Amino acid sequence: MKFKSEIKPYRAAAGGWGSLEATTRFVFDSKQVLKNMRNLMRMNKAKGFDCPGCAWGDDNKSTFSFCENGAKAVTWEATRRFVDAEFFAAHSVSALYQQSDYFLEYQGRLTQPLRYNRATDHYEPIGWDDAFALIARHLQAMDNPDQLELYTSGRASNEASWLYQLFGRMFGTNNFPDCSNMCHEASGTGLKRSIGVGKGTIRLDDFDQANAIFVFGQNPGTNHPRMLHSLRHAADHGAKIVTFNTLRERGLERFADPQKPLEVVTSKAGTISSTYYQPNLGGDMAAVRGMVKVLSETHQARIAAGEKGLFDEAFIQANTEGVDAYLAQVAATEWAQIEQQSGLTEQQIREAAAIYQSAERVICTWAMGITQHKHSVDTVREIVNLQLLFGQLGKPGAGLCPVRGHSNVQGNRTMGIDEKPTKAFLDSMANHFGFEPPRNIGHNTVEALEAMLRDEIKVLIALGGNLAAAAPDSPRTEEALSRCELTVQISTKLNRSHLVPGKQDALILPTLGRTEQDIQASGPQFITVEDSFSMVHASEGVGKPIADTQRSETWIVAGIANAVLGSEKLDWLALAGNYDLIRDHIAATIPGFKDFNQQCELPGGFWLGNAAAELRFNTLNNKAQFSAAALPDSLFPQLGDTKVPFTLQTLRSHDQYNTTIYGLDDRYRGVYGQREVLFIHPDDMAELGLQAGENVDIETLWNDGIIRKVSGFKLVPYAIPRGNLAAYYPETNPLVPLSSFGDGSGTPTSKSVPVKISLSPVVASQRIA
Ligand SMILES: Nc1nc2c(c(=O)[nH]1)N[C@H]1C(S)=C(S)[C@@H](COP(=O)(O)OP(=O)(O)OC[C@H]3O[C@@H](n4cnc5c(=O)[nH]c(N)nc54)[C@H](O)[C@@H]3O)O[C@H]1N2
Ligand SMILES: Nc1nc2c(c(=O)[nH]1)N[C@H]1C(S)=C(S)[C@@H](COP(=O)(O)OP(=O)(O)OC[C@H]3O[C@@H](n4cnc5c(=O)[nH]c(N)nc54)[C@H](O)[C@@H]3O)O[C@H]1N2
Ligand SMILES: [Mo]
């Protein structure tokens, strides 16, 4: 494909014609119109497959329950393009490495198992049995089971991931790094510490009853488009939508529902956010702290005047611990620090507090703008603090909503993809299967990469994802992967991770996607997934697989387990032949899944429940815990007094799914045909004597002497606070140091990278006059 590059502000509402047009373009482009239309119509309905796009829930009301970006995810998977032995014979790994991420995935679906031949630098076909035998040889030769890393990306089904974790634990390791470690880990950790459960407390229809919805650090117009329907609906019913986002995001401003033709034709777009604040990167904890400071002062003034206070004292008394220490910390936090860190004025924060105060039922939602900083766990807990003061838990229309990323990332955790499994979880596996699982804490993603760099890891198996491109510090991450003896990638499409093979061997195992029929010994199979609202439901592919040599993830995991561990303890192959049998084991080992197979029959699925939503707190003393953390002194304590000119966030464009690049446009931000752009405040540009359209180098300031730099990023003036920058991931992953991660979460700080910028030398001579 050829792309025309230009920068042209987008003036229309999000959704609307633009997204209908983009959807149809993708549907027609993928070469099989009828099949794609049928796929879209079945997506997210009671029968059919779950959208592989995001983890938003389904209301099962509208007939066309899909969005533009869900349509892209489906058509991208359902393409008729494919890469086979002939393709790999024609292209060496080194040659493919030079290609862009867009080029790699665009080549189409992987169809055959492949083994890397280092002598020729080409991937060559291998049979499934030989591939499994090769894996078994490597694993059986290990000195200890912790030389294995089992990565998971959040598309894997409950069935596949449950089987995968069981395999790992029977083999003897808890090394389960996953995409969640780079994503919502801070939400899980923060929520668990505060309310005893690491998941959101609300259900989809709570949005209909909320009086105010506070949206922190997320871009639903691109990443959770179906959320716009819920926000729009809530706004139409009078709820106040208050947005905190460093950038002006079109989807959070205005939205025309593409599923309501009249709205599109008449351009009758609805306003989404009633108020829009643009805090500094990493400034949300300070902003919420400021709101609580205002509310607390009002509360105390009222009490002093003999009136009823603002806070829900009965709720606090009955359900929480630590309020006094927290409020003392709030009182001790100075306005100067709050304003400087949040980048908002006291006046703006007072205004936000007033909206909060006037709403009886409040939902707080958030995503990566909150979770990818050093102090993210504290920030999540600060949001919880605010909600606890007002008893915004355990009632309809109120609560906490981390909006998950990958469509089954929440389910993966529920199934035990967790490097820190609880004792109860391991006990349950031990009792049910009669073996002793490892009790040590395993590696998260950053720890896994560090261990590889120390040559402590022999084999990496990746159940989906693209670790090489998704993880931070790209050169170090790539080196880490290539230091393994064997890398095994279970994938649908060609990606960067296939091109940094292990030093002895590498395998690519081609798998079926969620949209495709999965037929095993006992007949057609369905799988299950869990959305952001703890709803579990069945998903059954409808498309015919493109090649009969592709296999389901569940079958592949069972095949590996069988080759490595044999069938003595468990008949892995029988489980792969009939997923009902896996679900029976899940029912017996994981809380909430009683009668799992029967429950799958329920249209729309079943709710796993949430103890905190029912005011049962699984903390040490069964109370929700206020967190009395101080605001951080700096986003980059590692840098001491070094002056940091800019903080960079790395984020998604409208035409990508994580490391999968669908196209080179970012329509709502007015960027077309290019991805190497840097969003900057016009005054910052002027101060540096730079102009729009000029190319700059971006260099990280860090404390380890390593140079981290990317070049030739085009400046795009944008509505962003001064001192803040934004550029796309994964192109900027080389800038994120592996050793820069969140306290308590281990998540790379992808939304706060300390950088400086300078005019790119290559173009310095051709400066715009
Ligand atoms: N189409 C599509 N859908 C997706 C994905 C995709 O790539 N494409 N990815 C999926 C995954 S895995 C995930 S995790 C989610 C990601 O969903 P998002 O979290 O929406 O993803 P990002 O693009 O990283 O956007 C971060 C948003 O937070 C804002 N932000 C950044 N830092 C801060 C901050 O410090 N404070 C505040 N207040 N705002 C901040 C940014 O301006 C941006 O709007 O989406 C999921 N859905
Ligand atoms: N700088 C920076 N880095 C980030 C982020 C950021 O905001 N900034 N975000 C982080 C976040 S939130 C996340 S979740 C991670 C994402 O990290 P990953 O989940 O590892 O990456 P993806 O790009 O989603 O993986 C795409 C690949 O998955 C494979 N795939 C797609 N569908 C399937 C399937 O159904 N089965 C299997 N087996 N394989 C499939 C395809 O081969 C495709 O190439 O990246 C993180 N990295
Ligand atoms: Mo994510």
Side-chain angles (χ1 to χ4, degrees):
M1 273 203 193
K2 277 257 172 290
F3 295 96
K4 181 170 167 231
S5 56
E6 58 180 337
I7 307 286
K8 194 173 68 182
Y10 183 82
R11 308 216 181 272
W17 274 127
S19 82
L20 271 189
E21 201 184 275
T23 307
T24 41
R25 184 158 51 79
F26 264 86
V27 168
F28 287 105
D29 179 54
S30 69
K31 287 193 173 171
Q32 39 177 352
V33 177
L34 264 180
K35 181 176 157 190
N36 283 324
M37 289 314 287
R38 193 184 56 183
N39 278 352
L40 289 180
M41 293 179 71
R42 300 184 74 160
M43 198 155 111
N44 297 82
K45 299 291 295 168
K47 281 258 178 277
F49 57 84
D50 181 68
C51 179
C54 75
W56 194 249
D58 307 320
D59 63 8
N60 282 306
K61 284 179 214 139
S62 62
T63 31
F64 255 120
S65 228
F66 71 93
C67 69
E68 173 194 344
N69 279 350
K72 285 183 204 161
V74 169
T75 46
W76 195 256
E77 183 169 295
T79 175
R80 288 327 266 179
R81 293 189 189 90
F82 59 90
V83 284
D84 57 6
E86 221 173 290
F87 173 90
F88 287 102
H91 302 275
S92 72
V93 165
S94 329
L96 289 171
Y97 185 86
Q98 301 305 322
Q99 297 287 353
S100 70
D101 293 316
Y102 172 76
F103 172 92
L104 295 176
E105 279 226 12
Y106 189 75
Q107 301 313 307
R109 291 289 297 273
L110 294 156
T111 53
Q112 281 169 287
L114 299 159
R115 178 185 185 179
Y116 180 59
N117 181 342
R118 190 162 287 283
T120 61
D121 190 34
H122 284 264
Y123 273 103
E124 295 165 357
I126 180 175
W128 278 104
D129 285 344
D130 290 340
F132 292 154
L134 178 70
I135 298 173
R137 272 205 304 284
H138 277 272
L139 265 62
Q140 283 155 358
M142 284 179 180
D143 319 317
N144 98 58
D146 285 332
Q147 290 173 332
L148 171 65
E149 298 286 354
L150 294 167
Y151 179 72
T152 314
S153 165
R155 267 196 200 174
S157 66
N158 288 335
E159 289 73 9
S161 43
W162 181 86
L163 210 60
Y164 192 56
Q165 67 78 28
L166 182 63
F167 159 64
R169 291 187 170 117
M170 282 193 171
F171 181 71
T173 186
N174 283 320
N175 284 347
F176 285 100
D178 68 349
C179 68
S180 188
N181 297 145
M182 300 185 274
C183 182
H184 262 294
E185 195 68 53
S187 306
T189 307
L191 289 172
K192 211 174 258 164
R193 288 182 191 169
S194 287
I195 60 171
V197 47
K199 301 182 184 182
T201 65
I202 65 162
R203 302 181 65 176
L204 190 54
D205 51 17
D206 282 314
F207 280 89
D208 297 342
Q209 300 181 54
N211 307 114
I213 301 164
F214 281 68
V215 180
F216 293 97
Q218 68 171 125
N219 181 24
T222 287
N223 298 314
H224 305 92
R226 284 179 293 136
M227 179 177 177
L228 291 187
H229 296 261
S230 303
L231 291 180
R232 171 73 200 277
H233 194 239
D236 287 349
H237 286 80
K240 296 263 188 289
I241 315 285
V242 183
T243 291
F244 287 80
N245 196 307
T246 304
L247 295 179
R248 277 272 161 190
E249 302 283 26
R250 176 41 42 108
L252 287 162
E253 296 181 315
R254 281 188 301 136
F255 172 57
D257 190 339
Q259 302 191 17
K260 290 186 186 151
L262 199 65
E263 205 156 83
V264 175
V265 177
T266 57
S267 298
K268 184 183 155 289
T271 301
I272 299 263
S273 302
S274 40
T275 325
Y276 202 117
Y277 300 106
Q278 291 184 264
N280 281 330
L281 291 168
D284 301 82
M285 182 178 178
V288 176
R289 177 67 50 95
M291 285 169 63
V292 174
K293 198 170 170 72
V294 175
L295 296 164
S296 175
E297 281 162 11
T298 314
H299 174 78
Q300 275 151 20
R302 288 206 185 167
I303 302 272
E307 297 167 15
K308 192 171 171 301
L310 280 190
F311 298 157
D312 188 339
E313 301 277 13
F315 178 96
I316 295 171
Q317 183 66 30
N319 298 300
T320 71
E321 186 182 70
V323 71
D324 294 338
Y326 170 59
L327 290 178
Q329 183 65 258
V330 172
T333 314
E334 304 287 345
W335 272 112
Q337 193 185 13
I338 291 172
E339 287 194 317
Q340 178 260 328
Q341 251 176 48
S342 69
L344 303 175
T345 62
E346 183 179 334
Q347 185 50 39
Q348 287 175 306
I349 292 173
R350 287 190 177 277
E351 194 184 279
I355 301 173
Y356 190 96
Q357 183 184 328
S358 65
E360 200 184 314
R361 299 167 190 276
V362 183
I363 292 173
C364 292
T365 80
W366 67 89
M368 297 304 100
I370 293 298
T371 61
Q372 296 179 331
H373 298 287
K374 186 161 194 299
H375 61 304
S376 289
V377 171
D378 285 344
T379 306
V380 167
R381 298 195 66 187
E382 190 71 13
I383 295 172
V384 182
N385 287 342
L386 169 68
Q387 292 284 72
L388 289 177
L389 286 171
F390 288 82
Q392 297 289 359
L393 275 186
K395 62 182 186 186
L400 298 158
C401 180
V403 182
R404 301 281 166 183
H406 267 301
S407 52
N408 196 38
V409 63
Q410 186 159 319
N412 291 174
R413 245 331 129 78
T414 308
M415 291 298 120
I417 301 298
D418 191 346
E419 75 281 4
K420 304 183 287 295
T422 61
K423 181 171 178 303
F425 181 90
L426 293 178
D427 287 348
S428 150
M429 292 299 147
N431 296 336
H432 188 69
F433 291 105
F435 76 108
E436 188 40 47
R439 300 282 176 171
N440 60 329
I441 290 180
H443 291 152
N444 66 18
T445 297
V446 166
E447 290 160 349
L449 293 166
E450 283 170 342
M452 289 174 198
L453 286 170
R454 291 192 303 268
D455 290 325
E456 288 167 14
I457 303 304
K458 298 211 158 133
V459 177
L460 163 72
I461 301 179
L463 182 57
N466 182 5
L467 186 57
D473 230 348
S474 315
R476 262 146 301 282
T477 285
E478 291 181 10
E479 188 191 333
L481 264 57
S482 59
R483 277 176 177 268
C484 296
E485 286 174 4
L486 166 70
T487 51
V488 181
Q489 302 287 342
I490 302 168
S491 319
T492 52
K493 294 249 185 133
L494 183 62
N495 67 41
R496 184 102 6 229
S497 300
H498 305 125
L499 308 179
V500 280
K503 61 177 178 246
Q504 287 178 14
D505 262 310
L507 290 169
I508 300 177
L509 304 180
T511 191
L512 296 174
R514 183 159 323 150
T515 60
E516 286 145 352
Q517 289 165 354
D518 176 2
I519 298 171
Q520 301 295 343
S522 67
Q525 307 293 314
F526 67 88
I527 52 97
T528 60
V529 294
E530 175 183 342
D531 68 24
S532 282
F533 306 102
S534 306
M535 290 293 298
V536 177
H537 54 96
S539 167
E540 188 170 351
V542 293
K544 200 170 153 16
I546 190 170
D548 60 9
T549 39
Q550 293 170 322
R551 291 289 182 271
S552 80
E553 292 179 334
T554 313
W555 186 91
I556 295 172
V557 171
I560 295 175
N562 181 62
V564 176
L565 301 173
S567 56
E568 216 169 279
K569 270 215 170 64
L570 193 60
D571 189 347
W572 302 93
L573 301 183
L575 296 183
N578 180 354
Y579 301 175
D580 280 356
L581 302 177
I582 301 181
R583 282 184 286 271
D584 286 341
H585 282 302
I586 294 176
T589 51
I590 312 252
F593 286 84
K594 197 166 165 290
D595 300 325
F596 193 6
N597 276 306
Q598 292 85 313
Q599 296 261 69
C600 289
E601 300 291 322
L602 298 174
F606 62 100
W607 188 49
L608 280 179
N610 181 301
E614 291 158 8
L615 304 184
R616 286 179 290 112
F617 300 102
N618 298 322
T619 55
L620 275 183
N621 60 0
N622 299 318
K623 301 259 187 199
Q625 304 291 312
F626 279 96
S627 153
L631 293 185
D633 289 330
S634 144
L635 288 181
F636 323 109
Q638 297 92 333
L639 288 177
D641 295 334
T642 310
K643 191 166 159 9
V644 176
F646 289 102
T647 307
L648 169 78
Q649 66 155 319
T650 59
L651 80 180
R652 293 155 175 79
S653 82
H654 194 64
D655 275 2
Q656 78 182 81
Y657 194 94
N658 298 339
T659 68
T660 295
I661 312 300
Y662 301 129
L664 304 187
D665 295 351
D666 191 9
R667 190 170 77 241
Y668 297 151
R669 300 195 187 106
V671 174
Y672 296 88
Q674 56 198 322
R675 290 182 49 87
E676 298 196 343
V677 297
L678 181 64
F679 298 101
I680 185 170
H681 191 288
D683 294 349
D684 281 334
M685 217 167 51
E687 193 174 298
L688 293 172
L690 297 169
Q691 295 181 49
E694 285 190 317
N695 288 318
V696 293
D697 292 358
I698 317 172
E699 185 174 346
T700 307
L701 300 165
W702 202 237
N703 61 0
D704 55 8
I706 296 175
I707 292 175
R708 297 181 176 83
K709 191 173 185 170
V710 295
S711 298
F713 278 61
K714 188 179 280 184
L715 291 172
V716 176
Y718 206 80
I720 184 172
R722 291 200 66 176
N724 291 244
L725 301 171
Y728 302 130
Y729 131 76
E731 286 80 352
T732 46
N733 283 41
L735 297 174
V736 187
L738 198 52
S739 56
S740 176
F741 48 78
D743 297 329
S745 66
T747 300
T749 56
S750 307
K751 296 291 187 276
S752 45
V753 190
V755 298
K756 60 179 183 185
I757 62 173
S758 55
L759 199 64
S760 294
V762 272
V763 293
S765 56
Q766 314 153 5
R767 291 200 62 184
I768 296 168

